[in-house]
Amino acid sequence: SNIIIFEFYFGFALFYFFKYFINIFNSKLFYKLIIIFFLISISIFLILSQIENRLLSYGLPSTLIVIIFLLFYKIKFHKIVNLLGDSSYVLYLIHPYVFQIFRKSNDFLGLNNVIINLLLFCSIILSIFLSIFMHKVYEKPIQRKLNKLFLTNN
């Protein structure tokens, strides 16, 4: 019943679009740049227009940003970028809790804007480090065991 579910549907749609229309993503750099310019323009318009509908103001621009990255899917990224991508789901899950700790500290202590901004920066960094740690210690080993259990010896 939550509209955020449609953002996952956008991801499914992108997967099938990418799978069946891969030639679009193999086009020449000039055409890719035109597509990127068009997608960024639409994203900026949607974000700045302050539409109250989350699906249009966040979901669609996010999908357009993913399309931009798909245009360059053959590019090799540095292993740190890959690690951040691999741990992004854990980051999605834990960042609200980390932010909540810092927000509650601010509510309790009544800090000034400089300290609040510093705490916000620290909460972002802490969230990233925790997500990488949890990805390596919990998520990756569990994934390996589940893959071994369900994807081999069927």
Side-chain angles (χ1 to χ4, degrees), residues 61-140:
S62 298
T63 303
L64 297 175
I65 291 168
V66 170
I67 291 172
I68 291 169
F69 279 99
L70 286 175
L71 287 169
F72 296 98
Y73 76 98
K74 286 187 177 181
I75 292 177
K76 296 285 185 199
F77 291 102
H78 192 276
K79 59 185 171 180
I80 292 174
V81 175
N82 287 329
L83 179 60
L84 288 172
D86 290 344
S87 63
S88 65
Y89 182 65
V90 177
L91 178 63
Y92 165 75
L93 293 176
I94 69 165
H95 83 276
Y97 301 106
V98 175
F99 284 15
Q100 189 75 301
I101 291 168
F102 283 94
R103 189 182 69 74
K104 291 207 185 261
S105 329
N106 177 48
D107 291 348
F108 181 72
L109 299 172
L111 304 169
N112 67 30
N113 286 341
V114 174
I115 302 294
I116 291 170
N117 288 332
L118 182 63
L119 285 176
L120 176 63
F121 178 75
C122 290
S123 67
I124 291 169
I125 299 300
L126 181 61
S127 295
I128 291 170
F129 280 116
L130 280 174
S131 68
I132 291 170
F133 172 78
M134 292 181 78
H135 168 71
K136 286 185 167 192
V137 173
Y138 296 107
E139 185 183 25
K140 208 169 180 179

Coordinates of all heavy atoms in Angstrom, one line a residue, residues 61-140:
P61 N 13.3 10.3 -11.0 CA 14.7 10.8 -11.2 C 15.7 9.8 -10.8 O 16.8 9.7 -11.5 CB 14.8 12.0 -10.3 CG 13.4 12.5 -10.1 CD 12.5 11.2 -10.2
S62 N 15.5 9.0 -9.8 CA 16.4 7.9 -9.4 C 16.6 6.9 -10.5 O 17.7 6.4 -10.8 CB 16.0 7.2 -8.1 OG 16.0 8.1 -7.1
T63 N 15.4 6.6 -11.1 CA 15.5 5.6 -12.2 C 16.2 6.2 -13.4 O 17.0 5.5 -14.1 CB 14.0 5.3 -12.7 OG1 13.3 4.8 -11.6 CG2 14.0 4.3 -13.8
L64 N 16.1 7.5 -13.7 CA 16.8 8.1 -14.8 C 18.3 8.1 -14.5 O 19.1 7.9 -15.4 CB 16.3 9.5 -15.0 CG 14.8 9.6 -15.4 CD1 14.3 11.0 -15.5 CD2 14.6 8.9 -16.8
I65 N 18.7 8.3 -13.2 CA 20.1 8.3 -12.9 C 20.7 6.9 -13.1 O 21.8 6.7 -13.6 CB 20.3 8.7 -11.4 CG1 20.0 10.2 -11.3 CG2 21.7 8.4 -10.9 CD1 19.9 10.8 -9.9
V66 N 19.9 5.8 -12.8 CA 20.3 4.5 -13.0 C 20.5 4.2 -14.5 O 21.5 3.6 -14.9 CB 19.4 3.4 -12.4 CG1 19.7 2.0 -12.8 CG2 19.4 3.5 -10.9
I67 N 19.6 4.8 -15.3 CA 19.8 4.6 -16.8 C 21.1 5.2 -17.2 O 21.8 4.7 -18.1 CB 18.6 5.2 -17.5 CG1 17.3 4.4 -17.3 CG2 18.9 5.3 -19.0 CD1 16.0 5.1 -17.8
I68 N 21.4 6.4 -16.7 CA 22.7 7.0 -17.0 C 23.9 6.1 -16.7 O 24.8 5.9 -17.5 CB 22.8 8.4 -16.3 CG1 21.8 9.4 -16.9 CG2 24.3 8.9 -16.4 CD1 21.7 10.7 -16.1
F69 N 23.9 5.5 -15.6 CA 24.9 4.5 -15.2 C 24.9 3.3 -16.1 O 26.0 2.8 -16.5 CB 24.9 4.1 -13.8 CG 25.5 5.1 -12.9 CD1 24.7 6.0 -12.2 CD2 26.8 5.2 -12.7 CE1 25.2 7.0 -11.4 CE2 27.4 6.2 -11.9 CZ 26.6 7.1 -11.2
L70 N 23.7 2.8 -16.5 CA 23.7 1.7 -17.4 C 24.2 2.0 -18.8 O 24.7 1.1 -19.5 CB 22.2 1.2 -17.6 CG 21.6 0.5 -16.4 CD1 20.1 0.2 -16.6 CD2 22.3 -0.8 -16.1
L71 N 24.2 3.2 -19.2 CA 24.8 3.6 -20.5 C 26.3 3.3 -20.5 O 26.9 3.1 -21.6 CB 24.5 5.1 -20.8 CG 23.1 5.5 -21.2 CD1 22.9 7.0 -21.2 CD2 22.7 4.9 -22.5
F72 N 26.9 3.3 -19.3 CA 28.3 3.0 -19.2 C 28.6 1.7 -18.5 O 29.6 1.7 -17.7 CB 29.0 4.2 -18.6 CG 28.9 5.5 -19.4 CD1 28.0 6.4 -19.1 CD2 29.8 5.7 -20.4 CE1 27.9 7.6 -19.8 CE2 29.7 6.8 -21.2 CZ 28.7 7.8 -20.9
Y73 N 27.8 0.7 -18.7 CA 27.9 -0.5 -17.8 C 29.2 -1.3 -18.1 O 29.6 -2.1 -17.2 CB 26.7 -1.4 -18.1 CG 26.7 -2.1 -19.4 CD1 27.1 -3.5 -19.4 CD2 26.3 -1.5 -20.6 CE1 27.2 -4.2 -20.6 CE2 26.3 -2.2 -21.7 CZ 26.8 -3.5 -21.8 OH 26.8 -4.2 -22.9
K74 N 29.9 -1.0 -19.2 CA 31.1 -1.8 -19.4 C 32.3 -1.2 -18.8 O 33.4 -1.7 -18.8 CB 31.3 -1.9 -20.9 CG 30.4 -2.9 -21.6 CD 30.8 -3.1 -23.0 CE 29.9 -4.2 -23.6 NZ 30.2 -4.5 -25.0
I75 N 32.2 0.0 -18.2 CA 33.3 0.7 -17.5 C 33.7 -0.1 -16.3 O 32.8 -0.5 -15.5 CB 32.9 2.1 -17.2 CG1 32.7 2.9 -18.5 CG2 34.0 2.8 -16.3 CD1 32.2 4.3 -18.2
K76 N 35.0 -0.3 -16.1 CA 35.5 -0.9 -14.9 C 35.6 0.1 -13.8 O 36.3 1.1 -14.0 CB 36.8 -1.6 -15.1 CG 36.8 -2.7 -16.1 CD 36.2 -3.9 -15.5 CE 36.2 -5.1 -16.5 NZ 35.3 -6.1 -16.2
F77 N 35.0 -0.1 -12.7 CA 35.1 0.9 -11.6 C 36.1 0.4 -10.6 O 36.4 -0.8 -10.5 CB 33.7 1.0 -10.9 CG 32.7 1.7 -11.7 CD1 31.7 0.9 -12.3 CD2 32.7 3.1 -11.8 CE1 30.7 1.6 -13.1 CE2 31.7 3.7 -12.6 CZ 30.7 2.9 -13.2
H78 N 36.6 1.3 -9.8 CA 37.6 1.0 -8.8 C 36.9 0.1 -7.8 O 35.7 0.2 -7.5 CB 38.1 2.3 -8.1 CG 39.3 2.1 -7.2 ND1 39.1 1.7 -5.9 CD2 40.6 2.3 -7.5 CE1 40.3 1.6 -5.4 NE2 41.2 2.0 -6.3
K79 N 37.7 -0.8 -7.1 CA 37.1 -1.8 -6.2 C 36.4 -1.1 -5.0 O 35.5 -1.7 -4.5 CB 38.1 -2.8 -5.8 CG 39.3 -2.3 -5.1 CD 40.3 -3.4 -4.8 CE 41.6 -2.9 -4.3 NZ 42.5 -4.0 -4.0
I80 N 36.8 0.1 -4.7 CA 36.1 0.8 -3.6 C 34.7 1.2 -4.0 O 33.7 1.0 -3.3 CB 36.9 2.1 -3.1 CG1 38.2 1.6 -2.5 CG2 36.0 2.9 -2.2 CD1 39.1 2.8 -2.1
V81 N 34.5 1.6 -5.3 CA 33.2 1.9 -5.8 C 32.3 0.7 -5.8 O 31.2 0.7 -5.5 CB 33.3 2.6 -7.2 CG1 31.9 2.8 -7.8 CG2 34.1 3.9 -7.1
N82 N 32.9 -0.4 -6.3 CA 32.2 -1.7 -6.3 C 31.8 -2.1 -4.9 O 30.7 -2.6 -4.7 CB 33.0 -2.8 -7.0 CG 33.1 -2.6 -8.5 OD1 32.2 -2.1 -9.1 ND2 34.2 -3.0 -9.0
L83 N 32.7 -1.9 -3.9 CA 32.4 -2.3 -2.5 C 31.2 -1.4 -2.0 O 30.3 -1.9 -1.3 CB 33.6 -2.1 -1.7 CG 33.4 -2.4 -0.2 CD1 33.0 -3.9 0.0 CD2 34.7 -2.2 0.6
L84 N 31.2 -0.2 -2.3 CA 30.1 0.7 -1.9 C 28.8 0.3 -2.6 O 27.8 0.3 -1.9 CB 30.4 2.2 -2.3 CG 31.5 2.9 -1.5 CD1 31.8 4.2 -2.1 CD2 31.1 3.0 0.0
G85 N 28.9 -0.1 -3.8 CA 27.7 -0.6 -4.5 C 27.2 -1.9 -3.8 O 26.0 -2.1 -3.6
D86 N 28.1 -2.8 -3.5 CA 27.8 -4.1 -2.9 C 27.2 -3.9 -1.5 O 26.3 -4.7 -1.1 CB 29.0 -5.0 -2.8 CG 29.5 -5.5 -4.2 OD1 28.7 -5.4 -5.1 OD2 30.6 -6.0 -4.3
S87 N 27.6 -2.9 -0.8 CA 27.1 -2.7 0.6 C 26.0 -1.7 0.6 O 25.5 -1.4 1.7 CB 28.3 -2.2 1.5 OG 28.8 -1.0 1.0
S88 N 25.5 -1.3 -0.5 CA 24.4 -0.3 -0.6 C 23.1 -0.7 0.0 O 22.4 0.1 0.6 CB 24.2 0.2 -2.0 OG 23.7 -0.8 -2.8
Y89 N 22.8 -2.0 -0.1 CA 21.5 -2.5 0.5 C 21.6 -2.4 2.0 O 20.7 -2.0 2.7 CB 21.2 -3.9 0.1 CG 19.9 -4.4 0.6 CD1 18.7 -3.7 0.2 CD2 19.8 -5.4 1.5 CE1 17.5 -4.2 0.8 CE2 18.6 -5.8 2.1 CZ 17.4 -5.2 1.7 OH 16.2 -5.6 2.2
V90 N 22.7 -2.8 2.6 CA 22.9 -2.7 4.1 C 22.9 -1.2 4.5 O 22.3 -0.9 5.5 CB 24.2 -3.4 4.5 CG1 24.4 -3.2 6.0 CG2 24.3 -4.8 4.1
L91 N 23.5 -0.4 3.7 CA 23.4 1.1 3.9 C 22.0 1.6 4.0 O 21.6 2.3 4.9 CB 24.2 1.8 2.9 CG 24.3 3.4 3.0 CD1 24.9 3.8 4.3 CD2 25.0 4.0 1.9
Y92 N 21.2 1.1 3.0 CA 19.8 1.5 2.9 C 19.1 1.0 4.2 O 18.2 1.8 4.7 CB 19.2 0.8 1.7 CG 17.7 0.8 1.7 CD1 16.9 1.9 1.4 CD2 17.0 -0.4 1.9 CE1 15.6 1.9 1.4 CE2 15.6 -0.4 1.9 CZ 14.9 0.7 1.6 OH 13.5 0.7 1.6
L93 N 19.4 -0.1 4.7 CA 18.8 -0.6 5.9 C 19.2 0.0 7.2 O 18.4 0.3 8.1 CB 19.0 -2.1 6.1 CG 18.4 -3.0 5.0 CD1 18.8 -4.5 5.2 CD2 16.8 -2.9 5.0
I94 N 20.5 0.4 7.4 CA 21.0 0.9 8.7 C 21.0 2.4 8.8 O 21.0 2.9 9.9 CB 22.3 0.3 9.0 CG1 23.4 0.8 8.1 CG2 22.3 -1.2 9.1 CD1 24.8 0.6 8.6
H95 N 21.1 3.1 7.7 CA 21.3 4.6 7.8 C 20.2 5.3 8.7 O 20.6 6.2 9.4 CB 21.5 5.2 6.5 CG 20.2 5.6 5.7 ND1 19.5 4.7 5.0 CD2 19.5 6.7 5.7 CE1 18.4 5.3 4.5 NE2 18.4 6.5 4.9
P96 N 18.9 4.9 8.6 CA 18.0 5.6 9.5 C 18.3 5.5 10.9 O 18.1 6.4 11.7 CB 16.6 4.9 9.1 CG 16.8 4.2 7.8 CD 18.3 3.9 7.8
Y97 N 18.8 4.3 11.4 CA 19.1 4.1 12.8 C 20.3 5.0 13.2 O 20.3 5.5 14.3 CB 19.4 2.6 13.1 CG 18.2 1.8 12.7 CD1 18.2 1.0 11.5 CD2 17.0 1.9 13.5 CE1 17.0 0.3 11.2 CE2 15.9 1.1 13.1 CZ 15.9 0.3 12.0 OH 14.8 -0.4 11.7
V98 N 21.3 5.0 12.4 CA 22.5 5.9 12.7 C 22.1 7.3 12.7 O 22.4 8.1 13.7 CB 23.6 5.6 11.6 CG1 24.8 6.6 11.9 CG2 24.1 4.2 11.7
F99 N 21.3 7.8 11.7 CA 20.9 9.2 11.7 C 20.0 9.5 13.0 O 20.1 10.6 13.5 CB 20.1 9.5 10.5 CG 20.9 9.6 9.2 CD1 22.3 9.3 9.2 CD2 20.4 10.2 8.1 CE1 23.1 9.4 8.1 CE2 21.2 10.4 7.0 CZ 22.5 10.0 7.0
Q100 N 19.2 8.5 13.4 CA 18.3 8.7 14.5 C 19.2 8.9 15.8 O 18.8 9.8 16.6 CB 17.4 7.5 14.7 CG 16.4 7.6 15.7 CD 15.2 8.5 15.2 OE1 15.4 9.6 14.9 NE2 14.0 7.9 15.2
I101 N 20.2 8.2 15.9 CA 21.1 8.4 17.1 C 21.6 9.8 17.1 O 21.6 10.5 18.2 CB 22.3 7.4 17.1 CG1 21.8 6.0 17.3 CG2 23.4 7.7 18.1 CD1 22.8 4.9 17.0
F102 N 22.1 10.3 16.0 CA 22.7 11.7 16.0 C 21.6 12.7 16.1 O 21.8 13.7 16.8 CB 23.4 11.9 14.6 CG 24.8 11.2 14.7 CD1 24.9 10.0 14.1 CD2 25.9 11.9 15.2 CE1 26.2 9.4 14.1 CE2 27.1 11.3 15.2 CZ 27.3 10.0 14.7
R103 N 20.4 12.5 15.6 CA 19.3 13.4 15.8 C 18.8 13.5 17.2 O 18.6 14.6 17.8 CB 18.1 13.0 14.9 CG 17.0 14.0 14.9 CD 15.8 13.6 14.1 NE 15.0 12.5 14.7 CZ 14.2 12.7 15.8 NH1 14.1 13.8 16.3 NH2 13.6 11.6 16.2
K104 N 18.8 12.3 17.9 CA 18.4 12.3 19.3 C 19.4 13.0 20.2 O 19.1 13.7 21.1 CB 18.1 10.9 19.8 CG 16.9 10.3 19.2 CD 16.3 9.3 20.0 CE 15.1 8.7 19.3 NZ 13.8 9.2 19.7
S105 N 20.7 12.9 19.8 CA 21.8 13.6 20.5 C 21.6 15.1 20.4 O 21.8 15.8 21.4 CB 23.2 13.2 20.0 OG 23.3 12.0 19.5
N106 N 21.3 15.5 19.2 CA 21.0 16.9 19.0 C 19.8 17.4 19.8 O 19.9 18.5 20.4 CB 20.9 17.2 17.5 CG 20.5 18.7 17.2 OD1 21.2 19.5 17.8 ND2 19.5 18.9 16.5
D107 N 18.8 16.6 19.7 CA 17.6 17.0 20.5 C 17.9 17.2 22.0 O 17.4 18.1 22.7 CB 16.4 16.0 20.3 CG 15.9 16.0 18.9 OD1 16.2 17.0 18.1 OD2 15.1 15.1 18.5
F108 N 18.7 16.2 22.5 CA 19.0 16.2 23.9 C 20.0 17.4 24.3 O 19.8 18.0 25.3 CB 19.6 14.9 24.3 CG 19.9 14.8 25.7 CD1 19.0 14.6 26.7 CD2 21.3 14.8 26.1 CE1 19.3 14.5 28.0 CE2 21.6 14.7 27.5 CZ 20.6 14.5 28.4
L109 N 21.0 17.6 23.4 CA 22.0 18.6 23.8 C 21.7 20.0 23.2 O 22.4 20.9 23.7 CB 23.4 18.1 23.2 CG 23.9 16.7 23.8 CD1 25.1 16.3 23.0 CD2 24.1 16.9 25.3
G110 N 20.8 20.1 22.2 CA 20.5 21.4 21.7 C 21.8 22.1 21.1 O 22.2 23.2 21.5
L111 N 22.3 21.5 20.1 CA 23.6 21.9 19.5 C 23.4 23.0 18.5 O 22.3 23.2 17.9 CB 24.3 20.7 18.8 CG 24.6 19.5 19.8 CD1 25.0 18.3 19.0 CD2 25.6 19.9 20.8
N112 N 24.4 23.8 18.2 CA 24.3 24.8 17.1 C 24.5 24.2 15.7 O 24.8 23.1 15.6 CB 25.4 25.9 17.4 CG 26.8 25.5 17.2 OD1 27.1 24.6 16.4 ND2 27.7 26.1 17.9
N113 N 24.2 25.1 14.7 CA 24.2 24.6 13.3 C 25.5 24.0 12.9 O 25.6 23.0 12.1 CB 23.8 25.7 12.4 CG 22.3 26.0 12.5 OD1 21.5 25.2 13.0 ND2 21.9 27.2 12.1
V114 N 26.6 24.5 13.3 CA 28.0 24.0 12.9 C 28.1 22.6 13.4 O 28.5 21.7 12.6 CB 29.1 24.9 13.4 CG1 30.5 24.3 13.1 CG2 29.0 26.3 12.7
I115 N 27.8 22.4 14.6 CA 27.9 21.1 15.2 C 26.9 20.1 14.6 O 27.3 18.9 14.3 CB 27.7 21.1 16.8 CG1 28.7 22.1 17.4 CG2 27.8 19.7 17.4 CD1 30.2 21.6 17.3
I116 N 25.7 20.6 14.3 CA 24.7 19.7 13.7 C 25.2 19.3 12.3 O 25.1 18.1 12.0 CB 23.4 20.5 13.6 CG1 22.8 20.7 14.9 CG2 22.4 19.7 12.6 CD1 21.6 21.6 14.9
N117 N 25.8 20.2 11.5 CA 26.3 19.8 10.2 C 27.5 18.8 10.3 O 27.6 17.9 9.6 CB 26.7 21.0 9.4 CG 25.5 21.8 9.0 OD1 24.5 21.2 8.7 ND2 25.7 23.1 8.8
L118 N 28.3 19.0 11.3 CA 29.4 18.1 11.6 C 28.9 16.7 12.0 O 29.4 15.7 11.5 CB 30.3 18.7 12.7 CG 31.6 17.8 13.0 CD1 32.5 17.7 11.8 CD2 32.3 18.4 14.2
L119 N 27.9 16.7 12.8 CA 27.3 15.4 13.2 C 26.6 14.7 12.0 O 26.7 13.5 11.9 CB 26.2 15.6 14.3 CG 26.8 15.9 15.7 CD1 25.7 16.1 16.7 CD2 27.7 14.7 16.2
L120 N 26.0 15.5 11.1 CA 25.4 14.9 9.9 C 26.5 14.3 9.1 O 26.3 13.1 8.6 CB 24.6 16.0 9.1 CG 24.1 15.6 7.8 CD1 23.0 14.5 8.0 CD2 23.5 16.7 7.1
F121 N 27.6 15.0 8.9 CA 28.7 14.4 8.1 C 29.2 13.1 8.8 O 29.4 12.1 8.1 CB 29.8 15.5 8.0 CG 31.0 15.0 7.3 CD1 31.0 14.8 5.9 CD2 32.2 14.6 7.9 CE1 32.1 14.3 5.2 CE2 33.3 14.1 7.3 CZ 33.2 14.0 5.9
C122 N 29.4 13.2 10.1 CA 29.8 12.0 10.8 C 28.9 10.8 10.7 O 29.3 9.7 10.6 CB 30.1 12.3 12.3 SG 31.5 13.4 12.6
S123 N 27.6 11.1 10.7 CA 26.6 10.1 10.6 C 26.6 9.4 9.2 O 26.4 8.2 9.1 CB 25.2 10.6 11.0 OG 24.7 11.5 10.0
I124 N 26.9 10.2 8.2 CA 27.0 9.7 6.8 C 28.2 8.7 6.8 O 28.1 7.6 6.3 CB 27.1 10.8 5.8 CG1 25.8 11.5 5.7 CG2 27.5 10.3 4.4 CD1 25.8 12.8 4.9
I125 N 29.3 9.2 7.3 CA 30.6 8.4 7.2 C 30.4 7.1 8.1 O 30.8 6.0 7.6 CB 31.8 9.2 7.7 CG1 32.0 10.5 6.9 CG2 33.0 8.4 7.9 CD1 32.3 10.1 5.4
L126 N 29.8 7.3 9.3 CA 29.6 6.1 10.1 C 28.7 5.1 9.4 O 28.9 3.9 9.5 CB 29.0 6.5 11.5 CG 28.8 5.4 12.5 CD1 30.1 4.6 12.8 CD2 28.1 5.9 13.7
S127 N 27.6 5.6 8.8 CA 26.7 4.7 8.1 C 27.4 3.9 7.0 O 27.2 2.7 6.8 CB 25.5 5.5 7.5 OG 24.8 6.1 8.5
I128 N 28.3 4.6 6.3 CA 29.0 3.9 5.2 C 29.9 2.9 5.7 O 29.9 1.7 5.2 CB 29.8 5.0 4.3 CG1 28.8 5.8 3.5 CG2 30.7 4.3 3.4 CD1 29.4 7.0 2.8
F129 N 30.7 3.2 6.8 CA 31.6 2.2 7.3 C 30.9 1.0 8.0 O 31.3 -0.1 7.8 CB 32.5 2.9 8.4 CG 33.7 3.6 7.8 CD1 33.8 5.0 7.9 CD2 34.6 2.9 7.0 CE1 34.9 5.7 7.3 CE2 35.7 3.6 6.4 CZ 35.8 5.0 6.6
L130 N 29.8 1.3 8.6 CA 29.0 0.2 9.2 C 28.4 -0.7 8.1 O 28.4 -1.9 8.3 CB 27.9 0.8 10.1 CG 28.2 1.2 11.5 CD1 27.0 1.8 12.2 CD2 28.8 0.0 12.3
S131 N 27.9 -0.1 7.1 CA 27.4 -0.9 6.0 C 28.4 -1.8 5.3 O 28.1 -2.9 5.0 CB 26.7 0.0 4.9 OG 27.6 0.8 4.2
I132 N 29.6 -1.3 5.1 CA 30.7 -2.1 4.6 C 31.1 -3.2 5.5 O 31.2 -4.4 5.1 CB 31.9 -1.2 4.2 CG1 31.6 -0.3 3.1 CG2 33.1 -2.1 3.9 CD1 32.7 0.8 2.8
F133 N 31.2 -2.9 6.8 CA 31.5 -3.9 7.8 C 30.4 -5.0 7.8 O 30.7 -6.2 7.7 CB 31.6 -3.3 9.2 CG 31.7 -4.2 10.3 CD1 33.0 -4.9 10.5 CD2 30.7 -4.6 11.1 CE1 33.1 -5.8 11.6 CE2 30.8 -5.5 12.1 CZ 32.0 -6.1 12.4
M134 N 29.1 -4.6 7.9 CA 28.1 -5.6 7.9 C 28.0 -6.4 6.6 O 27.6 -7.6 6.7 CB 26.8 -4.9 8.3 CG 26.8 -4.4 9.7 SD 25.2 -3.6 10.2 CE 24.3 -5.0 10.5
H135 N 28.3 -5.7 5.5 CA 28.3 -6.5 4.2 C 29.3 -7.6 4.3 O 29.0 -8.7 3.9 CB 28.5 -5.5 3.1 CG 28.8 -6.2 1.8 ND1 27.8 -6.9 1.1 CD2 29.9 -6.3 1.1 CE1 28.4 -7.4 0.0 NE2 29.7 -7.1 0.0
K136 N 30.5 -7.2 4.7 CA 31.6 -8.2 4.7 C 31.4 -9.3 5.7 O 31.7 -10.4 5.5 CB 33.0 -7.5 4.9 CG 33.4 -6.7 3.7 CD 34.8 -6.2 3.9 CE 35.4 -5.7 2.6 NZ 36.8 -5.4 2.7
V137 N 31.0 -8.9 6.9 CA 30.9 -9.9 8.0 C 29.6 -10.7 8.0 O 29.7 -11.9 8.3 CB 31.0 -9.1 9.4 CG1 30.8 -10.0 10.6 CG2 32.4 -8.5 9.5
Y138 N 28.5 -10.1 7.6 CA 27.2 -10.8 7.6 C 26.7 -11.2 6.3 O 26.4 -12.3 6.0 CB 26.2 -10.0 8.4 CG 26.6 -9.9 9.9 CD1 27.0 -8.6 10.3 CD2 26.5 -10.9 10.7 CE1 27.3 -8.5 11.7 CE2 26.9 -10.8 12.1 CZ 27.3 -9.5 12.5 OH 27.6 -9.4 13.8
E139 N 26.5 -10.1 5.5 CA 25.7 -10.3 4.2 C 26.5 -11.2 3.2 O 25.9 -12.2 2.7 CB 25.5 -9.0 3.5 CG 24.6 -9.1 2.3 CD 24.4 -7.7 1.6 OE1 25.2 -6.8 1.8 OE2 23.4 -7.7 0.9
K140 N 27.7 -11.0 3.0 CA 28.5 -11.8 2.0 C 28.6 -13.3 2.4 O 28.3 -14.1 1.6 CB 29.9 -11.2 1.8 CG 30.5 -11.4 0.5 CD 31.7 -10.5 0.3 CE 32.3 -10.8 -1.0 NZ 33.5 -9.9 -1.2

